[in-house]
Structures are given as structure tokens and as C-alpha cells.
Amino acid sequence: MLKYLSYKLLINNNDMYNILSLDGGGSWSLLQFLTLRERYGNSKGHEILGKYDLVIATSGGSLVLAALCCNWDIDKCLSLFYEKQNRTLVFSKNSFWEKYFPADFVGLFGAGPKYSVKKKYAGLKSLFSEIEAIPMEDLPDFIGKPSLKLVVTTFDALHNKAKFFKSYGKEGKPFDSVNLIQAISGSTNAPIGYFDFPARIKAQRSERNFYLWDGALGGFNNPVAAGLTEAIKLGVSKEEINIISLGTSNKITSQRERKYFYLLYINVIKYRKTKPGLGLKFFGKTVINQAKTILYEPPDWANYMTYIWRFDNNLGQALENKKRFIRLSPLLHRHSQDDNANELDHLINELYDLDMDLTNDDDIELLNQCFEKWKIGEIYNQPIRTNLDTKGDVLHDLGHKYFKEAMADWINMKI
């Protein structure tokens, strides 16, 4: 049954409207499960979702949402990334003969799309069979909280615009009814270097066909600002909103990367005609960096703009505000004054080199190490606003600097 926009709020234990926002990040979404386990132990998915009024997710975060909707306990959720056969159901490679030209040719050099959207969709149906036949609008009843609102972000490849799939609609307006598997197939569909084609799905009710890429392409790799917007559209007062935003790590350009870029830049200018190979490297580096801006700037932009909007630009109440908006995401950056510089440098450089599509056990173990260092404060938490000093060190003027501080405020929220 279609749930229309409701302006009547269900009062929670903390008398607030609670939003859970789940970033994209591919295999790095393992960090979100580990964070949820730290907060809720081995609770089941429906129990966790029942504590929130609106849950919004992108890409890897939508995989987390699906596992919770299936009512898996956290230990089973972790198997989604800990068990290699599960990882390869999502990241299922095409053979040379399954690729189209020129993807087959550039693939010989490690470039171009590697994975099959068709195989991924079959893998998602196998992984999340409990909810395969349930339309998104019926999931809140299945979860046991009819008032719950669910949102998954995607990108409409035909119209070049963001497309949200929701568990609710607006009376008298067309409604694109899909099941969560269809929405996830689109939301996790990173282009160019990852999946081969847009995810094609057909919505019920509206009978519309969609061709979808990853929700990050619309600027929603961190969907927290969209989550706040949806709540306000539902008639919720900003003063009644609590926000938990779970990320999948944020990268500040390392000293190694900054030095490499600077030297390459200087040498390309100096030898632009005599050493064309340098120009090719610089061009390739520039293209890759620009393609990945959807992962870098939008997460930071979304946090800060959400903060300003939620608290009406009242920066003077920073200590009180961070008890209402909690951002938890490891910051892959070493401060110049850290005592354990060599150990952290090695780990952070290894993490910095990892891509989103991790299928090897050694890479997953690096994510475990990342979480443990983050949890004990050796890797800092991402601030709400990222400013750098002249040494390239991050200034934590808004938000929580340490995981434990953020977790303590989350517990005090009684969510």
C-alpha cells in the first residue's frame, strides 16, 4: 500500500525526529556495519531501523540498508563484506568476450569498466532474497514501523539528473514503485571504471523505464543534506531533528600525493615538448582526479551545508549542536604532530591506495585496521567542516575529532 506524505510525527524515545544517513563507498561500507555494531551490538536490522524516522542511503550505503531491511543481525551483515563469495556477487567481472569495444581493448591495460551490471543484479537478488518481492512502499510495514521513510539515491542516465526512489509518495502525483533490489542496482552502479552499462529497471504504477548510474553522480555520495530536505518537506521542524551520518572514510591528499603532483606539474611545464610522457601522466592524473571529485567534495559540502541549515548558521552553539548532528567517518590523514607518524603513514598510504571495489581478503583486513585505529583515536574522525592550516593539518572546529566522543553523544541521544 502506498504511503503518502505524512505531517504527523511518530514520537520516539527521545521525542525527536531521527535521520540515519548512509554514504556510498563500495566495500568501504564495511565501516558502517562496524560502527553500527559498536553502537548496537549484534542487534537485528529491524530493531535498528525502528529507532529512526527516515533512512537515506547511496551506493554502498544502500547495501547496508538492504541488509538491515532483511532483518539480519550485525554479524550476518558483516558477512556481506567478510565473505569473498558475497563480495564477488556484487563485483562480478566480465570476461574479455563479454565486454563491448573499446572496453575490451582498454581493459587489457587495466582501464574501463570491469564489472557486469546484469550479474550484479542477479547477485543482489540472491543476497537479499528476503525482500526481493516487496515494493519499497511496503517495506516499513515489513520492518514493523509503518511511519518509517526510506530513500535511495540514484542518477538518471537519460535525463542527466538525480533520481530518488522512496517508500512514500505525494497524493495525486505519479509514483515510481520499485523494490529495494531495483533501487540498489541503480544506486551501486558506478560508471567508467566499474560497471559496464546503466542499470535498467521498470517502475510499477508509473510503468516508466529508468537507466541508472550510481547516486554519487548527482552529488549525493553523502546524502545527508537530501535527508534533511526530505524531512523538512514532510513538515518536520528543524529543531526536532537529530541526524546520524555514517561515512566510509574521507581522504585528505597525502604529503606523498602532494609532492608527486607538484613535481609532475613543474616538470611538465619545463619539459612539455621534449618529454611527452610526462604530459601524458599529468593529463591522466588530472582526468582521474576530476572524475573522483564526486567522492571528495560532495561529502564535505553536504555535512557543512546540513549543519548550517539545521542550526540556522548558529556556529556559536557548536558544543550543543554536535549533540544533534553526528558525523562518523574516518579521516585518512596524519597530523604533522602525531607521535606514531611512521606506523600511521604506512597504514594511511595503504588505505589511500585502495579503490572502492575491494574483493581481496588482505584489503578487507586493511579496513578492519582502519576501523580499530579510528576507534581508539589514532585516526581522526572527519569534521563537519574541513579546513587546513599552512602545514596541511586539519582543523577540527566543527563536529567530533574522535570516534569515542561522537559515539558518546550518539548514546546520549537515546537513539
Side-chain angles (χ1 to χ4, degrees):
M1 179 181 296
L2 177 59
K3 306 297 188 301
Y4 295 112
L5 295 178
S6 173
Y7 297 92
K8 295 181 179 179
L9 306 184
L10 180 68
I11 302 300
N12 295 283
N13 290 336
N14 57 9
D15 294 335
M16 297 289 284
Y17 191 92
N18 301 321
I19 297 174
L20 176 63
S21 176
L22 300 167
D23 283 21
S27 303
W28 290 72
S29 292
L30 168 65
L31 296 170
Q32 294 172 330
F33 281 138
L34 291 170
T35 304
L36 289 170
R37 183 176 66 176
E38 195 70 17
R39 175 65 185 91
Y40 298 116
N42 195 33
S43 297
K44 289 197 168 186
H46 290 184
E47 180 184 353
I48 294 171
L49 291 173
K51 299 177 184 296
Y52 296 89
D53 299 288
L54 187 148
V55 182
I56 185 167
T58 296
S59 196
S62 69
L63 295 174
V64 173
L65 174 59
L68 297 177
C69 285
C70 287
N71 203 29
W72 296 357
D73 60 35
I74 294 296
D75 283 347
K76 184 174 181 181
C77 289
L78 288 168
S79 72
L80 186 62
F81 296 109
Y82 281 160
E83 295 183 10
K84 186 168 185 174
Q85 64 268 29
N86 290 338
R87 301 194 298 266
T88 54
L89 284 173
V90 177
F91 298 110
S92 183
K93 287 188 175 182
N94 280 321
S95 69
F96 177 85
W97 303 108
E98 291 174 310
K99 297 179 180 179
Y100 60 87
F101 181 82
D104 52 358
F105 175 73
V106 298
L108 297 174
F109 302 93
K114 302 184 284 275
Y115 305 113
S116 165
V117 64
K118 183 178 180 180
K119 294 177 184 177
K120 179 187 69 174
Y121 184 62
L124 292 174
K125 291 199 295 183
S126 173
L127 284 169
F128 306 120
S129 58
E130 297 96 324
I131 58 172
E132 177 190 353
I134 305 176
M136 280 188 68
E137 60 266 29
D138 291 339
L139 277 175
D141 287 332
F142 176 72
I143 291 166
K145 186 172 184 177
S147 65
L148 177 64
K149 305 294 188 290
L150 304 174
V151 185
V152 175
T153 76
T154 69
F155 185 80
D156 185 338
L158 284 183
H159 299 98
N160 287 321
K161 59 183 294 186
K163 170 63 182 175
F164 292 2
F165 291 99
K166 308 175 185 179
S167 63
Y168 55 96
K170 189 172 183 180
E171 194 166 6
K173 298 290 185 180
F175 182 74
D176 299 312
S177 173
V178 301
N179 63 54
L180 191 57
I181 308 301
Q182 291 174 298
I184 293 170
S185 181
S187 190
T188 58
N189 207 40
I192 304 176
Y194 302 98
F195 290 95
D196 49 1
F197 294 106
R200 181 181 183 274
I201 69 171
K202 184 174 183 178
Q204 303 303 312
R205 297 179 184 270
S206 67
E207 297 293 315
R208 298 171 65 190
N209 289 313
F210 291 94
Y211 297 83
L212 304 170
W213 288 123
D214 194 298
L217 270 69
F220 295 104
N221 197 58
N222 176 350
V224 66
L228 177 62
T229 303
E230 287 294 318
I232 292 172
K233 284 169 58 181
L234 288 164
V236 185
S237 170
K238 288 187 293 184
E239 291 72 23
E240 297 175 327
I241 294 175
N242 283 333
I243 302 170
I244 304 295
S245 174
L246 302 185
T248 55
S249 84
N250 298 82
K251 297 179 180 179
I252 301 295
T253 304
S254 66
Q255 185 176 3
R256 178 190 61 173
E257 283 290 308
R258 290 197 299 271
K259 183 177 180 181
Y260 174 82
F261 178 86
Y262 175 75
L263 291 176
L264 185 59
Y265 169 76
I266 293 297
N267 286 323
V268 167
I269 292 176
K270 186 175 182 179
Y271 303 110
R272 67 178 70 193
K273 294 298 184 183
T274 57
K275 295 183 179 181
L278 290 174
L280 186 61
K281 283 184 180 180
F282 183 78
F283 179 78
K285 185 72 172 175
T286 301
V287 170
I288 291 172
N289 283 347
Q290 295 307 306
K292 290 186 175 181
T293 56
I294 59 171
L295 303 177
Y296 298 150
E297 180 57 22
D300 291 329
W301 169 91
N303 293 329
Y304 186 51
M305 292 305 296
T306 300
Y307 185 97
I308 294 295
W309 195 4
R310 165 62 178 84
F311 299 112
D312 292 322
N313 199 26
N314 187 0
L315 302 183
Q317 298 275 338
L319 288 176
E320 185 62 30
N321 292 347
K322 70 179 184 178
K323 298 176 182 178
R324 293 287 177 234
F325 176 21
I326 293 175
R327 171 66 174 175
L328 273 160
S329 186
L331 185 68
L332 302 185
H333 174 73
R334 182 184 63 77
H335 196 280
S336 62
Q337 302 301 316
D338 287 340
D339 294 332
N340 54 346
N342 292 333
E343 179 189 356
L344 267 183
D345 269 347
H346 180 71
L347 175 60
I348 288 175
N349 284 336
E350 285 190 294
L351 291 167
Y352 199 92
D353 290 338
L354 294 181
D355 210 330
M356 297 185 299
D357 52 332
L358 308 181
T359 56
N360 294 326
D361 290 338
D362 289 345
D363 294 337
I364 297 299
E365 176 53 30
L366 283 175
L367 296 188
N368 282 328
Q369 293 178 36
C370 174
F371 180 79
E372 291 303 320
K373 293 292 185 182
W374 177 38
K375 190 172 74 168
I376 65 175
E378 292 188 14
I379 289 179
Y380 296 138
N381 189 55
Q382 183 202 9
I384 297 296
R385 177 174 60 187
T386 302
N387 287 325
L388 304 177
D389 65 15
T390 55
K391 295 180 181 179
D393 291 333
V394 175
L395 305 173
H396 283 76
D397 58 343
L398 292 177
H400 298 85
K401 185 175 182 178
Y402 297 106
F403 179 94
K404 287 184 177 180
E405 293 176 350
M407 187 60 63
D409 278 342
W410 187 358
I411 291 170
N412 287 334
M413 277 185 177
K414 295 182 169 58
I415 303 178

